Amino acid sequence: MFGLHYKLERKSIGLALAIIGIGSIGGLVEIAPLFTIDQTVEDAPGMRVYTPLELAGRNIYVREGCYACHSQMIRTLRDEVERYGPYSLAVESKYDHPMLWGSKRTGPDLARIGGKYSDQWHVAHFVNPREIVPPSVMPSYARLLRNPLRTDDLGRHLRAMRAVGVPYTDDMIANATADAIGQATPGGEAADGVSKRYGEATNVRVFDGLPGELTEMDALVAYLQIVGRLTDAAYKTAGK
Amino acid sequence: MVAQLTKSERQVALVILLALTIVGLIFAGAGKDDPIGVHGFLIMACAIAAIFAVISASAEPEPSPERLDTYYDDPSKIGIVLAMAWAAVGMLVGFWVALLLAFPDLTFDAGWASFGRLRPVHTSGVIFGFGGNALIATSFYVMQRTSRARLPDQLSPLFVLFGYNLFCLLAATGYLMGITQSKEYAEPEWYADIWLVIVWVTYLVLYLRTLARRQEPHIYVANWYYLAFVLVVAMLHIVNNLAVPVGLGSAKSYSLFSGVQDAMTQWWYGHNAVAFFLTAGFLGMMYYYLPKRAGRPLFSYRMSIISFWGITFLYMWAGSHHLHYTALPQWVQTLGMTFSVMLLVPSWSAAANALLTLNGAWHKVRDDATLRFMMVAAVFYGLTTFEGSFLAIRPVNALSHYTDWTVGHVHAGALGWVAMITFGAIYASVPWLWKRDAMYSARLVEVHFWFAVTGTIIYVISMWNSGIIQGLMWRTYTPEGTLAYSFVDSLIEMHPYYIARAIGGLFFLIGTLVGCYNIWMTVRGEALPAATEPAGDIPAPAIAARQPAE
Ligand code: HEM
């Protein structure tokens, strides 16, 4: 064996090819089957996609690096399930490009944050976390309330998401901007379009407490309120 | 620097820079209401500044053919200076984010100054800025010496070095503007990623071209590691960053993978970024500089073969230990755990090989802080890999994951291993490169050493404490069978440890700044009259160690 190596280390290309060959095995064995084995991701027939407003909120979550302090992955451990809720299923992040499972809990897990608090709570918490939870070390995000949300390019975002496999329809893509505004403007015609395209259960309301203004806060809160709620598969599994 | 380029290389440089200017212009135009537009201007500004540098040197004569009799060390010198600059910036930001976790209001009401955006500036700044530049600089140095061959041309090493730094600059400024893919250690967006591929392929080709010119029949161990670093990082980077951009005028892209497949790909990448960027590359450094500085032959050639192939094969399976008890199928978790435990063998054989090399040179370790940096690095490498294998065991991971224990583990490796071996290698190379007798001040190297060791110990111990306390509080039950502590209870307990960690980090940062000063003063000092360096200064006895096996 060492004799063989003595020959190998005299050939740079041979050495390089050997490194690539030996180094590829692990990834091929572990990753490739995840795309082909059906059981990897559970079925969830009723699961819906993110609305344009929620997707914009998710992008703000990414932009601000919330994942650096918050996980979105409840492990199959008793204390986690009791603290946060039913453990996370693979299917719940099926439309998450990229996933936001996270690796550090400086703050609590957020996989089941949707519906846990009111919109007002979230807005007040983002504006000044220490006013709501005095020992908090979370940054203040008051500026999201001042930033208008950019909506003109949401159609292109939906199209890119479709390119990577999320089932957005042409109708959804064509109406992305209107739907983003509509979801935060209840009562109007645009709001009906949101319910029509994304389902009656979709939250349509003024998320940031400022009617008539579409801010980044609207988007972020709309997103948080849907986290863990695109499908109820996890609750069904827990109930079994 | 430009004077070292031949006339035709200067022309090629101008063509490349013009092309880059045009790319910058396109981004600036297409992305005028998007942060990518800012990056367009940044790319343009860098390219135009470089064009001026090339043009202003165009009157310089061709470099004399005598240059070919010596190694080409300009890129290594620049790389070391850049590495130290990034170290100072990256660690300063590290200190700041450490403070933010203790005192969250120590910031401005501006997007760029919030924790979530600064943290990746720290991680990329130290890993890619400091670590990456040090790897590139030392790899150029080592590959020439161990091959007894000059770099094949003058332009491509500079392209690799400056191209790489442009990538780092796009990464760090991008995070401040909120441009990120959110994938840890792969945060830069699509255009920066494509640029890195171009730079990296040039780096690989350069490495292979230099090896092809070598005068030594054998490729020395250090080069195996550097080569594995270059090759595997290319593979990881390309696969993990596959994404569909929203458009030419948008920095945003959507990852090709989602959910569980994305998680596995990301941690296959993430863990092997640790393995091949933060380990293999720096092992290459260690295998050259430690025997060289100690004046001892490498202890065992065979052990180095075992550790090399062990690391190359086993690490690639280990990524899934980042996903224990998650929605990742259990069989993948089990594979990840098993291979992580097996990894201890090649890891310890590399660490032992380094420490046993020091046998017979321990008096030098005592007197020479530079060698001591490398020795301590090998010890921390051994400790951290042991801890890593331990943390990969599922029930241990149940406690440690998501807590500060991981951060403590990361920094035992990052400060104790990566930074220490780098400082050792830099202190060894600077006098050699700049043809100085020695560093400006050996005392200051000693001072840096003690600041670094103290800082590391304070940092790691405080994070062990906070991590284990956190993990235990989260799973403690009352006699009635309910959870004993709220999340906020655990948060309050962290406060003193976060302060202690910031103090440890401050120690480490001060050490680094002392190092910057010392290097600066050495560079400004007098050159030796006619510095002569043996042409092939491969650790000579290592050749003797390479007897054909039975
Ligand atoms: C002045 C010295 C340093 C200080 C004060 C410091 C501080 C920090 C802080 C506060 C964090 C965030 C931890 C959290 O989110 O809870 C962090 C993360 C990190 N740092 Fe450092 N750091 C230092 C040096 C380094 C060096 C030299 C490296 C690498 C060569 C490094 C690599 C990392 C990595 C990889 C992470 C991410 C850890 C994870 O996600 O688990 N750090 N550092």
Side-chain angles (χ1 to χ4, degrees):
Chain A
M1 177 190 143
F2 293 108
L4 196 70
H5 201 273
Y6 196 71
K7 295 208 187 74
L8 179 66
E9 66 184 50
R10 301 169 71 125
K11 304 260 181 299
S12 52
I13 300 293
L15 191 63
L17 291 176
I19 292 171
I20 296 178
I22 299 281
S24 308
I25 303 172
L28 286 175
V29 174
E30 289 186 350
I31 301 180
L34 297 182
F35 289 93
T36 53
I37 300 178
D38 282 342
Q39 294 93 309
T40 304
V41 180
E42 308 81 0
D43 277 335
M47 181 161 174
R48 79 156 166 87
V49 295
Y50 292 110
T51 65
L53 187 66
E54 292 155 7
L55 184 67
R58 191 171 195 276
N59 290 341
I60 294 169
Y61 187 99
V62 167
R63 184 187 80 190
E64 298 303 330
C66 311
Y67 60 85
C69 288
H70 291 287
S71 58
Q72 288 190 22
M73 173 46 62
I74 302 170
R75 297 180 293 170
T76 54
L77 299 168
R78 176 178 162 211
D79 56 294
E80 296 214 353
V81 171
E82 284 179 18
R83 186 179 297 278
Y84 299 117
Y87 60 82
S88 302
L89 300 182
V91 66
E92 293 181 272
S93 43
K94 184 166 76 165
Y95 298 140
D96 287 4
H97 295 263
M99 55 85 206
L100 294 172
W101 292 8
S103 64
K104 176 81 204 323
R105 281 185 189 151
T106 302
D109 188 277
L110 298 180
R112 305 264 168 253
I113 195 70
K116 179 176 172 188
Y117 299 111
S118 67
D119 297 343
Q120 293 87 322
W121 187 94
H122 280 298
V123 173
H125 184 245
F126 283 132
V127 168
N128 186 358
R130 273 160 292 293
E131 194 154 311
I132 312 290
V133 184
S136 179
V137 297
M138 177 158 146
S140 151
Y141 291 98
R143 70 202 140 79
L144 298 183
L145 213 46
R146 305 193 290 263
N147 295 352
L149 181 72
R150 181 171 178 193
T151 53
D152 62 312
D153 61 348
L154 282 171
R156 286 191 292 143
H157 283 258
L158 260 52
R159 199 172 305 126
M161 281 285 266
R162 182 160 76 179
V164 294
V166 182
Y168 282 109
T169 63
D170 289 336
D171 191 27
M172 289 171 171
I173 292 175
N175 290 290
T177 301
D179 284 349
I181 300 166
Q183 194 177 354
T185 321
E189 209 177 299
D192 295 340
V194 177
S195 310
K196 187 171 100 242
R197 277 180 281 277
Y198 296 91
E200 288 301 326
T202 307
N203 300 323
V204 176
R205 53 187 191 242
V206 179
F207 294 94
D208 63 357
L210 303 172
E213 276 182 65
L214 189 63
T215 65
E216 293 188 335
M217 187 68 87
D218 273 308
L220 184 61
V221 174
Y223 166 64
L224 285 180
Q225 294 292 23
I226 198 70
V227 171
R229 305 206 144 239
L230 293 176
T231 162
D232 55 5
Y235 293 89
K236 285 194 188 131
T237 315
K240 266 189 223 144
Chain B
M1 175 174 56
V2 180
Q4 289 290 317
L5 301 182
T6 62
K7 295 260 162 166
S8 63
E9 283 176 330
R10 288 176 210 173
Q11 282 159 5
V12 177
L14 281 180
V15 172
I16 297 174
L17 291 168
L18 274 176
L20 201 60
T21 314
I22 294 170
V23 172
L25 194 65
I26 294 174
F27 283 146
K32 53 184 183 316
D33 359 278
D34 191 274
I36 200 177
V38 180
H39 270 169
F41 283 110
L42 184 69
I43 294 171
M44 255 194 320
C46 293
I48 291 173
I51 288 176
F52 272 107
V54 176
I55 290 179
S56 64
S58 62
E60 303 265 344
E62 282 258 328
S64 75
E66 278 155 34
R67 73 176 191 281
L68 300 175
D69 299 338
T70 55
Y71 294 130
Y72 180 42
D73 283 336
D74 283 5
S76 299
K77 291 184 185 174
I78 304 165
I80 285 180
V81 171
L82 288 169
M84 291 307 291
W86 278 105
V89 174
M91 292 179 200
L92 186 69
V93 179
F95 177 56
W96 187 7
V97 292
L99 281 179
L100 282 179
L101 288 180
F103 310 103
D105 290 321
L106 276 183
T107 186
F108 316 98
D109 179 23
W112 66 270
S114 86
F115 179 90
R117 295 202 193 172
L118 290 173
R119 190 186 193 268
V121 176
H122 161 61
T123 53
S124 291
V126 286
I127 299 177
F128 298 122
F130 166 55
N133 274 305
L135 285 173
I136 294 177
T138 58
S139 73
F140 289 163
Y141 184 94
V142 171
M143 73 165 116
Q144 296 187 82
R145 266 76 182 169
T146 54
S147 305
R148 297 185 203 244
R150 192 178 204 265
L151 289 167
D153 68 313
Q154 284 75 226
L155 181 59
S156 53
L158 291 180
F159 175 77
V160 171
L161 190 68
F162 287 117
Y164 180 76
N165 279 280
L166 176 60
F167 166 79
C168 295
L169 194 64
L170 290 177
T173 53
Y175 306 149
L176 296 177
M177 293 188 284
I179 302 176
T180 169
Q181 295 194 85
S182 86
K183 296 185 154 199
E184 283 179 69
Y185 322 121
E187 290 95 344
E189 270 291 357
W190 60 276
Y191 52 99
D193 290 337
I194 294 175
W195 174 244
L196 185 64
V197 172
I198 298 172
V199 170
W200 213 254
V201 170
T202 315
Y203 188 18
L204 174 63
V205 172
L206 177 63
Y207 215 118
L208 292 175
R209 280 164 72 208
T210 312
L211 288 180
R213 295 157 57 95
R214 73 185 182 280
Q215 308 289 316
E216 285 282 333
H218 289 271
I219 302 173
Y220 180 61
V221 201
N223 289 311
W224 313 346
Y225 280 100
Y226 280 122
L227 199 58
F229 148 66
V230 181
L231 279 167
V232 178
V233 166
M235 194 158 97
L236 298 167
H237 174 77
I238 292 173
V239 174
N240 191 41
N241 285 305
L242 293 173
V244 174
V246 167
L248 196 60
S250 170
K252 176 84 188 154
S253 69
Y254 289 96
S255 152
L256 191 58
F257 311 120
S258 72
V260 62
Q261 291 94 354
D262 188 42
M264 186 59 221
T265 312
Q266 158 58 23
W267 286 111
W268 167 79
Y269 167 89
H271 192 72
N272 290 300
V274 175
F276 289 87
F277 208 101
L278 296 180
T279 302
F282 292 91
L283 282 172
M285 216 184 252
M286 181 186 83
Y287 274 110
Y288 179 81
Y289 287 96
L290 186 134
K292 187 91 178 49
R293 185 78 183 187
R296 301 283 310 163
L298 188 61
F299 172 72
S300 164
Y301 162 67
R302 291 183 181 184
M303 243 161 114
S304 63
I305 295 182
I306 294 174
S307 23
F308 178 72
W309 291 104
I311 286 174
T312 307
F313 177 64
L314 298 175
Y315 251 114
M316 299 300 264
W317 297 74
S320 52
H321 68 220
H322 288 260
L323 300 168
H324 280 327
Y325 302 97
T326 66
L328 181 75
Q330 173 119 21
W331 62 269
V332 194
Q333 302 180 22
T334 311
L335 277 178
M337 167 171 121
T338 316
F339 280 81
S340 304
V341 174
M342 292 197 290
L343 253 176
L344 192 58
V345 176
S347 303
W348 271 27
S349 76
N353 209 353
L355 291 175
L356 290 169
T357 299
L358 292 173
N359 267 347
W362 288 102
H363 60 286
K364 292 192 189 161
V365 176
R366 186 193 59 210
D367 298 336
D368 175 11
T370 302
L371 188 57
R372 216 177 315 123
F373 262 117
M374 302 187 207
M375 185 278 287
V376 170
V379 171
F380 267 102
Y381 177 65
L383 290 176
T384 311
T385 48
F386 175 76
E387 188 185 26
S389 294
F390 181 63
L391 291 175
I393 299 172
R394 269 165 60 88
V396 182
N397 195 268
L399 179 89
S400 72
H401 192 53
Y402 294 136
T403 72
D404 285 323
W405 193 349
T406 311
V407 178
H409 166 67
V410 166
H411 287 86
L415 306 178
W417 157 240
V418 171
M420 300 266 192
I421 192 72
T422 306
F423 291 137
I426 288 182
Y427 282 133
S429 327
V430 165
W432 295 338
L433 279 170
W434 272 274
K435 314 289 179 225
R436 302 290 185 268
D437 191 23
M439 287 298 296
Y440 163 72
S441 161
R443 284 273 297 282
L444 287 181
V445 179
E446 192 73 38
V447 168
H448 180 185
F449 175 81
W450 287 109
F451 267 107
V453 171
T454 316
T456 307
I457 292 174
I458 299 177
Y459 192 122
V460 173
I461 292 186
S462 49
M463 288 298 96
W464 276 340
N465 273 300
S466 66
I468 293 173
I469 292 174
Q470 231 172 4
L472 290 175
M473 285 180 85
W474 291 347
R475 57 157 64 177
T476 301
Y477 279 87
T478 58
E480 291 76 46
T482 56
L483 289 167
Y485 302 102
S486 73
F487 188 89
V488 174
D489 291 337
S490 72
L491 189 63
I492 294 168
E493 290 300 312
M494 297 303 102
H495 188 64
Y497 300 107
Y498 284 169
I499 296 176
R501 183 254 302 273
I503 294 172
L506 183 61
F507 268 86
F508 204 87
L509 172 65
I510 292 173
T512 304
L513 297 178
V514 170
C516 290
Y517 172 76
N518 202 358
I519 291 169
W520 179 243
M521 294 308 285
T522 312
V523 171
R524 283 189 41 192
E526 296 255 310
L528 287 177
T532 39
E533 205 181 348
D537 40 11
I538 182 172
I543 301 171
R546 287 210 208 99
Q547 293 311 321
E550 51 282 78

